[in-house]
Amino acid sequence: AKHLAEALRHSNCKLQKLNLDSNIIGNDGAKHLAEALCHSNCKLQELNLNGNNIGDDGAKCLADGLRHPGCKLLKLYIMGSSIGVTGAEALADMLRYDNRTLTRLNLQENPDIPPALLTKIERLAELNSESINCTAVEVGRKKRAEYGPKLDEIYGFVRSYPNLLSA
């Protein structure tokens, strides 16, 4: 992540989307990426950090990076990481007071964030969407009712072809 962050700060870098899903990025990597987000040469608008090992310290660094006036990031995905109460609160404070560009934040499947705090972050975005610019905060878990019929269809298909699973 350190070398990627250096590349994002380079004047010739035109990268707008970066998918680092499941790349074992931890708090140090998040810190380097957050520092790059503040750089005037960084053009990144979408960052996918899903499935990494980012904890509270990394989330706080990302929140600090998003507070910076030069940050151009529109979408941040940190689903399925190790973010807890402290990191989620830092992101909530950033949304509430300092967000300038972020329009989408995904914190789903971070089991150490209590449901009440997830609800608070979601409501914060809903209540203050005009002033904080964040129109879509995804923090909850999808209900089975939303996926149930499709999952049942897939399961039925797989069961009807037992050789698919034995290959």
Side-chain angles (χ1 to χ4, degrees), residues 18-70:
L18 181 58
N19 185 345
L20 296 173
D21 190 321
S22 303
N23 271 283
I24 316 172
I25 293 173
N27 291 324
D28 287 341
K31 178 184 175 198
H32 292 298
L33 291 167
E35 290 169 354
L37 293 175
C38 302
H39 198 278
S40 60
N41 288 334
C42 183
K43 311 230 181 340
L44 206 60
Q45 294 180 1
E46 185 173 326
L47 179 58
N48 182 342
L49 295 171
N50 290 341
N52 282 289
N53 210 16
I54 297 170
D56 287 335
D57 291 340
K60 287 192 286 186
C61 290
L62 289 167
D64 288 343
L66 290 163
R67 282 185 173 96
H68 192 275

Side-chain angles (χ1 to χ4, degrees), residues 6-14 39 41 43:
E6 289 172 7
L8 290 170
R9 290 189 293 260
H10 193 276
S11 60
N12 290 331
C13 183
K14 307 288 187 241
H39 198 278
N41 288 334
K43 311 230 181 340

